[in-house]
Amino acid sequence: MDLLDIFKALSNRTRLEILKGLKDPAKHFPAQDEGDVDVVGVCVSSIQEGVGLSQSTVSDYLATLQRAGLVEVKRIGQWTYYKRNEATIRALANAIGKEL
């Protein structure tokens, strides 16, 4: 886990809001037809609609969160789904408690 990469990813308000929204996706993003959000995650189009930005911007933000290890990605057919990587988030909280 690279703390600098994680903090860089979280330094953008919208990326932080996406990550926070993925904690309770049914509350923060529009409903989706495809699968249970707690199991498969949230599709890009639902996240895009929830934050009100273009698909390309949202995809870029999600890629940044993925590179930092903060979200997990699952592809099903042509759709891409995102959910929080709880293990990394717990490790981050632990590292902050110990190192900062």
Side-chain angles (χ1 to χ4, degrees):
M1 176 176 67
D2 186 331
L3 287 177
L4 188 56
D5 286 342
I6 290 173
F7 288 133
K8 284 180 183 179
L10 296 177
S11 69
N12 174 283
R13 183 178 311 276
T14 303
R15 287 192 298 257
L16 182 59
E17 289 301 318
I18 290 170
L19 190 63
K20 288 167 57 176
L22 289 172
K23 186 171 185 175
D24 186 0
K27 181 178 176 183
H28 294 98
F29 299 111
Q32 60 188 32
D33 296 331
E34 314 86 10
D36 180 358
V37 294
D38 293 325
V39 176
V40 298
V42 180
C43 69
V44 175
S45 60
S46 290
I47 296 170
Q48 175 190 353
E49 190 175 334
V51 298
L53 296 173
S54 71
Q55 186 271 334
S56 61
T57 299
V58 170
S59 291
D60 182 57
Y61 285 172
L62 288 165
T64 299
L65 292 170
Q66 180 186 6
R67 282 190 301 273
L70 294 167
V71 296
E72 298 173 332
V73 180
K74 179 183 274 190
R75 288 203 45 95
I76 300 174
Q78 67 183 16
W79 304 102
T80 306
Y81 298 89
Y82 292 85
K83 63 182 181 176
R84 289 163 45 110
N85 183 337
E86 296 298 339
T88 298
I89 293 169
R90 281 190 301 275
L92 173 62
N94 189 37
I96 289 171
K98 287 182 178 178
E99 296 181 30
L100 295 179

